[in-house]
Amino acid sequence: MSEPELSQTYDPKEFETKWYKFWIDGKFFEAPVDSKKIPYTILMPPPNVTSQLHMGHGTTYALQDILVRWKRMRGYNALWLPGTDHAGIATQMMLEKQIEKDEGKTRHQIGRTEMLKRLEAWKDKYGGMITDQFRSLGFSCDWSKEAYTMDPHLSKAVRAIFVKLYKDGMIYRGERLVNWDPILRTAISDDEIESVEMNATLWHFNYPIQELPGEFIGIATTRPETMLGDTAVAVNPTDDRYKHLVGKHVKLPFTDRLIPIIADEYVAADFGTGCVKITPAHDVNDFEMGKRHKLPMINVMNEDATMADNVPARFKGLDRFVARKEIVKGMKELGLFIKDETHRNAVPHSDRSKAIIEPRLSLQWFVNMKALAKPAIEAANNGDLQFHPSLWKKTYLHWLENIQDWCISRQIWWGHRIPIWYCQSCQTVNTGMDDPTSCSKCQSKDLKQDEDVLDTWFSSWLWPISPFGWPEKSKELDYFYPTNTLVTANEILFLWVARMVMVGLYTQGKVPFKDVYIAATICDKQGKKFSKTLGNGIDPLDVIAKHGTDALRFTGIALSPLGGRVRMEIGDFEHGARFVNKIWNAARFLFRYTSGNATIQTIDHSKIDIASQWLLEEFARTSEDTNRLLDQYRVNEAVNRIYHFVWGSYCDWGLECAKESLNGTDETRKAQTISVLVYVFDGILKLFSPVMPFVTEELWHKMPKHPELPRAKSLVVENYPVGTGPHRFASSADQWARIQELIVEVRSARALANINPKDSLKIEMRCDQDLASIVSSVEGLIKRLVNVSDVKAGPNIQRPGQSLVAIGKGFEAYIPALGLIDIESEKKRLSNERDRVSKVLSGLTTKMSNPNFVDRAPEDVIVQTKEQIANMQNQLKSLEQNISALS
């Protein structure tokens, strides 16, 4: 057997493209319907078709890949369904900006037909970028099932759900107040709005009372430009100050209109002047009051937020913010200005264009959500739908219990056009799965389709069913629905997750997935969420270029707790790169002993030492823990559990303890030792394959064959270790763990006392007879690992004078120090350290005695503080014993 050739360091560029092609060519990620296997399905949240890879993808999507790869190795028919979203507003906005920059034209000047052609071309040019980048991350999607929300069969599903909801009376058209984006010139939903805290001005004005010349009623507003659409002034019916004014009128400044003073309990008598101007067409609360009192609704703004033709000539055509200044100026001229004051206000902005939203009365299409929400609420309450972390269940329920109807029409061109045709002869509304050629009522052929398109989320809420063939019945839908796990970000819990649950229950009678995993939020080191606006993000492609995909995946996941916030910087990925090289170098060490005449054998329990038995048991326990943690969606804990096993158990202990046998003359012992190391290293590659697929695949193919480990064609379809099997040594492992503690404590005592590592020590250890027997059986390993010339152990050992002590569970190990250290210098050092530890311990104890800290601190902080106190107490005890012994 020749030694496999491994370079001194791992170079990811040599292997990543090679192995991804190997997996794709081998169809290892494809998941055809197979009744003999249990399906496990994850839906990839479809990124915008024209977007590029960002760190959110690097972690959130890597989590999905880990779960899918793990389940695939557990024998499931694992499907990770990939796809992209046409992203109506986002895509059209990008192209419109480009056209305006290059040609100085708007979409209306170009025309709908030409604009749609350009949007298709734009999608074709940039649409594959994100999925190509996903391939560079090693994502194990079934690319044969890749879907796009405007694919023909997905578009058919969109039409089908619209028609079904319409015929069930759950879609309606109405004039309602909507969130209007004046830059994109379209309605957007409440969930697409970002509230921004800003300094705002509150202006106070007088309105003259028509019936009482010389008397006024005071109002306050942050949006003076909307006063031109006022249709009433409201007071609280119990407010004695204004009871005599109810039923009278005010003359609206700048206009000839008289508007009534009305009474409504919504008005807070103790807020401001107790009087509120009512503008039903431009304020949500005013709209509801306007409906109650049957007030006129006057829209005074155009689609671009300029003032409309129905306002006085002085303000006509002005931008809303210019009009605001002019109205304030005009009120001063009329002597109706009282004062202004600055205050902080949450101002709604469009998440896409960043424009300040203008509430606007508009004719739109809506989905009645109350009926859809009820079963979705029940699914969470009865446990059919689980959230991880569970705290998100409360957020989900709060939104559904207070749900508003969903405005699904958008005044843009890119997307699924609303399948409604209006008869120009009799005004009948026509819809169906096929485009009508004549009116269903009067048979007129003069039909005109609705100009609007559907909200992008109206197609993506069908993601659990439309890629599998719905509305048709299909074997894929029967087999893969309901899916298993959805991994997503908390910000689309309402936009996407809740809506998928509602439509899944509506069409299939079952929730679309059983578990919702809310991924961690990635922030910079100052705790600010990564964003393009702040420019504080990390480009994952830069990380891949420098450190490789495995380092990116490992670091991103290891740092990301379930549903938490992660502070991350570019330097963190060096940790992942070092660990990848640690595994690489462990393989290089191993391969030195698997070449030549080395024989890999079946492991014989009677021929392996206690250190090998411990390593096999620790591997089995790590396998059990990893599967348990992954089952609980504690993915970062699972990754860190494997990491500590590899770095600590295998490399620091396993390889170090094996050196004596590997370099010895006993061929049987050598063969058994290397066989254990190969067996466990094979298991390490399997454990880490879902996390770091490239380096593990490369090393696995170079591994010598082990007689106990039959091989698949690729590591990605090997059996994932679960901890079962013949090689369990619980008792031996526990015994060796006690010896490890002794070795660690003696090494620590040596290091703290600055004893030269080359100086041989003597150890006299007081312990029970059981531990003394274990020490005797492994004396040779202890001597080599700690550089000890003599070890004595037993219950009757007395501490010699001028000795150091190493304390562990059930033992005190004494190290005669005379001649090895400067006693007086060591006593001084120990005294200083005792004072430092005492000070730290005092601070921690004071903190724990403070009720404010104990009551307010998170539970994990309390536990951590208690552990620190116990650790400091042990350190203090050891220091005091050493000072006493050296005196």
Side-chain angles (χ1 to χ4, degrees):
M1 184 190 307
S2 61
E3 178 183 344
E5 291 185 10
L6 292 181
S7 57
Q8 195 164 3
T9 57
Y10 174 69
D11 182 359
K13 296 181 181 69
E14 287 186 40
F15 309 112
E16 292 183 358
T17 302
K18 175 183 81 171
W19 286 119
Y20 199 78
K21 184 178 185 301
F22 171 77
W23 296 325
I24 296 300
D25 290 347
K27 299 184 177 180
F28 295 113
F29 303 152
E30 293 187 12
V33 172
D34 185 348
S35 60
K36 296 178 183 178
K37 297 179 76 175
I38 299 172
Y40 177 81
T41 310
I42 288 182
L43 303 169
M44 173 187 284
N48 290 353
V49 68
T50 56
S51 66
Q52 295 187 45
L53 190 67
H54 57 67
M55 205 60 225
H57 299 131
T59 51
T60 303
Y61 286 30
L63 271 168
Q64 298 167 55
D65 195 31
I66 288 171
L67 293 171
V68 167
R69 286 174 175 271
W70 167 58
K71 286 292 189 178
R72 188 180 291 119
M73 294 178 74
R74 290 294 306 271
Y76 289 83
N77 190 18
L79 168 64
W80 188 15
L81 181 80
T84 48
D85 192 301
H86 68 277
I89 290 178
T91 303
Q92 181 166 316
M93 184 177 71
M94 290 170 66
L95 182 56
E96 282 193 54
K97 284 182 177 179
Q98 189 69 43
I99 291 171
E100 184 179 10
K101 179 183 175 183
D102 295 345
E103 303 175 37
K105 293 181 179 179
T106 67
R107 64 177 162 119
H108 297 284
Q109 290 171 313
I110 288 174
R112 185 168 196 149
T113 302
E114 176 61 24
M115 186 69 181
L116 287 174
K117 286 181 182 177
R118 294 194 187 193
L119 282 161
E120 282 288 350
W122 179 276
K123 184 267 294 184
D124 291 342
K125 181 176 180 180
Y126 296 104
M129 188 180 299
I130 187 70
T131 52
D132 287 345
Q133 290 169 340
F134 283 175
R135 288 172 172 86
S136 73
L137 277 170
F139 289 166
S140 64
C141 309
D142 183 348
W143 295 107
S144 70
K145 292 183 174 63
E146 183 177 2
Y148 170 54
T149 51
M150 288 181 70
D151 283 341
H153 67 284
L154 274 75
S155 296
K156 181 180 180 181
V158 171
R159 184 150 182 173
I161 195 63
F162 183 95
V163 171
K164 178 174 171 58
L165 286 166
Y166 183 81
K167 290 184 175 178
D168 287 348
M170 297 174 73
I171 282 183
Y172 65 93
R173 194 185 193 207
E175 194 170 44
R176 297 267 300 273
L177 210 65
V178 297
N179 304 303
W180 189 263
D181 183 325
I183 290 181
L184 299 175
R185 301 191 192 185
T186 181
I188 61 173
S189 69
D190 292 343
D191 306 299
E192 295 170 301
I193 289 175
E194 178 184 7
S195 288
V196 180
E197 283 286 330
M198 299 175 67
N199 285 326
T201 302
L202 185 65
W203 284 276
H204 294 255
F205 301 136
N206 273 328
Y207 280 4
I209 301 172
Q210 178 69 14
E211 291 87 349
L212 300 172
E215 292 193 27
F216 304 89
I217 192 167
I219 59 94
T221 180
T222 58
R223 299 161 65 216
E225 65 278 13
T226 64
M227 68 179 284
L228 300 175
D230 288 357
T231 56
V233 172
V235 299
N236 190 287
T238 63
D239 193 334
D240 291 334
R241 294 172 298 172
Y242 303 114
K243 279 184 177 180
H244 69 291
L245 296 179
V246 175
K248 292 183 170 52
H249 298 77
V250 300
K251 185 174 186 302
L252 188 65
F254 310 115
T255 74
D256 294 326
R257 286 192 290 117
L258 297 179
I259 61 176
I261 300 172
I262 62 174
D264 194 288
E265 291 181 351
Y266 171 78
V267 181
D270 58 351
F271 182 78
T273 64
C275 306
V276 179
K277 63 186 277 304
I278 305 302
T279 319
H282 290 280
D283 182 273
V284 175
N285 297 314
D286 292 3
F287 175 75
E288 295 300 325
M289 199 184 300
K291 287 197 296 182
R292 286 196 295 274
H293 295 273
K294 297 182 172 54
L295 298 174
M297 299 194 182
I298 304 173
N299 194 336
V300 295
M301 289 188 205
N302 299 313
E303 291 184 353
D304 61 354
T306 57
M307 304 309 289
D309 289 343
N310 60 352
V311 302
R314 175 176 179 178
F315 309 111
K316 195 179 298 183
L318 295 180
D319 176 81
R320 55 181 165 166
F321 299 125
V322 176
R324 177 179 298 179
K325 293 177 181 178
E326 278 297 305
I327 284 173
V328 171
K329 180 181 176 183
M331 292 296 278
K332 289 179 179 179
E333 292 169 353
L334 293 171
L336 299 176
F337 174 85
I338 302 173
K339 65 176 180 177
D340 59 31
E341 54 190 349
T342 301
H343 73 129
R344 295 290 287 175
N345 195 22
V347 180
H349 286 66
S350 167
D351 187 49
R352 290 295 179 194
S353 71
K354 306 306 178 187
I356 292 177
I357 290 299
E358 187 62 46
R360 186 172 189 268
L361 192 65
S362 181
L363 190 61
Q364 303 285 344
W365 285 95
F366 297 87
V367 178
N368 185 328
M369 301 300 283
K370 295 288 185 186
L372 290 173
K374 186 177 178 181
I377 291 170
E378 291 173 0
N381 284 328
N382 66 23
D384 288 347
L385 185 68
Q386 300 281 337
F387 291 88
H388 310 272
S390 58
L391 61 89
W392 287 104
K393 173 184 172 182
K394 184 177 180 181
T395 308
Y396 165 90
L397 287 174
H398 177 76
W399 184 75
L400 285 177
E401 288 163 357
N402 296 277
I403 198 165
Q404 301 297 312
D405 285 357
W406 177 14
C407 176
I408 57 171
S409 46
R410 296 292 179 269
Q411 289 66 52
I412 59 174
W413 294 340
W414 180 241
H416 298 95
R417 194 164 174 181
I418 291 177
I420 289 289
W421 284 259
Y422 306 102
C423 178
Q424 302 302 293
S425 300
C426 70
Q427 285 71 55
T428 297
V429 173
N430 298 267
T431 190
M433 289 303 295
D434 298 312
D435 292 0
T437 55
S438 61
C439 176
S440 59
K441 183 178 181 181
C442 71
Q443 283 71 54
S444 168
K445 296 186 181 300
D446 188 7
L447 302 178
K448 184 179 180 182
Q449 187 175 2
D450 196 297
E451 293 288 334
D452 292 349
V453 300
L454 290 161
D455 180 8
T456 296
W457 298 103
F458 196 82
S459 54
S460 54
W461 77 327
L462 299 174
W463 199 241
I465 55 176
S466 57
F468 298 123
W470 190 87
E472 311 299 333
K473 291 190 180 221
S474 70
K475 59 181 182 179
E476 286 80 11
L477 186 60
D478 288 341
Y479 183 71
F480 290 113
Y481 189 95
T483 66
N484 298 82
T485 307
L486 182 75
V487 180
T488 188
N490 64 68
E491 56 260 31
I492 55 174
L493 184 59
F494 314 134
L495 282 168
W496 191 48
V497 180
R499 288 171 178 166
M500 284 193 289
V501 175
M502 287 186 273
V503 82
L505 288 164
Y506 177 62
T507 61
Q508 307 300 307
K510 298 176 184 177
V511 290
F513 28 75
K514 298 165 188 174
D515 294 289
V516 179
Y517 179 113
I518 303 297
T521 302
I522 310 300
C523 306
D524 62 21
K525 285 298 181 181
Q526 285 70 49
K528 294 179 180 177
K529 184 179 176 182
F530 282 173
S531 77
K532 291 179 181 178
T533 305
L534 293 175
N536 62 341
I538 295 172
D539 187 340
L541 296 178
D542 291 341
V543 177
I544 292 172
K546 185 174 182 181
H547 298 301
T549 299
D550 289 331
L552 173 80
R553 290 168 60 113
F554 168 78
T555 306
I557 299 304
L559 291 176
S560 302
L562 173 62
R565 292 180 74 86
V566 184
R567 297 192 178 205
M568 191 179 291
E569 64 184 0
I570 193 74
D572 292 332
F573 295 94
E574 293 176 7
H575 169 62
R578 283 194 299 271
F579 183 56
V580 172
N581 271 306
K582 184 78 171 179
I583 295 176
W584 186 260
N585 287 328
R588 293 179 68 230
F589 173 88
L590 197 63
F591 292 165
R592 290 209 303 266
Y593 296 96
T594 58
S595 59
N597 298 320
T599 303
I600 309 301
Q601 303 175 348
T602 299
I603 297 169
D604 185 335
H605 292 189
S606 66
K607 295 177 181 177
I608 58 176
D609 61 18
I610 189 172
S612 292
Q613 292 175 353
W614 168 83
L615 185 62
L616 287 162
E617 176 65 19
E618 184 63 18
F619 166 62
R621 291 176 182 177
T622 300
S623 301
E624 289 175 338
D625 290 345
T626 300
N627 284 279
R628 174 179 54 81
L629 291 167
L630 289 174
D631 271 325
Q632 295 170 352
Y633 296 103
R634 294 155 64 186
V635 181
N636 77 306
E637 293 179 53
V639 170
N640 284 308
R641 178 68 173 93
I642 308 169
Y643 164 80
H644 288 297
F645 172 73
V646 173
W647 197 291
S649 302
Y650 191 82
C651 295
D652 289 353
W653 286 101
L655 296 183
E656 188 63 32
C657 291
K659 286 178 182 176
E660 186 175 6
S661 298
L662 294 177
N663 295 321
T665 57
D666 186 332
E667 294 300 323
T668 299
R669 188 178 174 192
K670 182 186 295 185
Q672 281 293 302
T673 299
I674 196 65
S675 297
V676 168
L677 292 176
V678 168
Y679 180 91
V680 175
F681 195 72
D682 179 273
I684 286 171
L685 298 179
K686 290 172 181 171
L687 285 174
F688 254 136
S689 174
V691 183
M692 301 189 294
F694 294 111
V695 67
T696 52
E697 186 82 27
E698 175 66 20
L699 292 175
W700 184 79
H701 281 274
K702 286 183 162 60
M703 285 284 292
K705 291 185 178 179
H706 195 290
E708 297 179 61
L709 301 171
R711 289 207 154 199
K713 292 181 180 180
S714 170
L715 179 58
V716 300
V717 289
E718 273 283 356
N719 292 323
Y720 199 80
V722 294
T724 58
H727 306 311
R728 298 303 299 258
F729 303 94
S731 177
S732 296
D734 292 343
Q735 291 175 5
W736 180 242
R738 300 187 72 184
I739 299 301
Q740 287 177 307
E741 186 181 13
L742 167 64
I743 292 168
V744 168
E745 293 300 331
V746 172
R747 283 175 171 173
S748 178
R750 176 201 282 273
L752 287 171
N754 292 317
I755 299 174
N756 193 318
K758 295 181 180 179
D759 291 341
S760 184
L761 307 178
K762 292 183 179 180
I763 298 176
E764 298 182 31
M765 188 169 85
R766 184 191 300 157
C767 61
D768 60 32
Q769 193 55 53
D770 287 344
L771 182 54
S773 299
I774 299 169
V775 169
S776 177
S777 68
V778 294
E779 186 175 340
L781 272 173
I782 296 172
K783 287 179 176 180
R784 184 172 67 82
L785 294 173
V786 199
N787 189 13
V788 173
S789 61
D790 186 38
V791 182
K792 293 178 182 177
N796 300 318
I797 296 291
Q798 297 299 312
R799 181 169 187 172
Q802 293 191 322
S803 60
L804 303 173
V805 63
I807 301 173
K809 187 176 179 180
F811 71 82
E812 290 185 0
Y814 309 120
I815 306 166
L818 192 63
L820 294 173
I821 60 173
D822 182 325
I823 299 295
E824 291 305 315
S825 295
E826 180 61 12
K827 284 168 62 178
K828 184 177 181 181
R829 186 194 69 79
L830 290 171
S831 295
N832 290 336
E833 181 64 9
R834 177 190 59 190
D835 293 343
R836 186 193 70 81
V837 171
S838 294
K839 187 175 181 180
V840 174
L841 180 59
S842 175
L844 292 171
T845 305
T846 301
K847 185 185 287 187
M848 284 302 295
S849 64
N850 182 349
N852 287 331
F853 172 75
V854 175
D855 292 342
R856 296 177 182 178
E859 185 178 349
D860 60 332
V861 173
I862 298 294
V863 171
Q864 185 181 34
T865 305
K866 288 180 178 179
E867 290 174 350
Q868 287 177 311
I869 289 173
N871 181 45
M872 289 295 163
Q873 288 171 336
N874 289 334
Q875 285 189 45
L876 192 60
K877 179 181 177 183
S878 177
L879 287 164
E880 288 172 343
Q881 288 180 340
N882 277 324
I883 292 169
S884 174
L886 291 174
S887 300

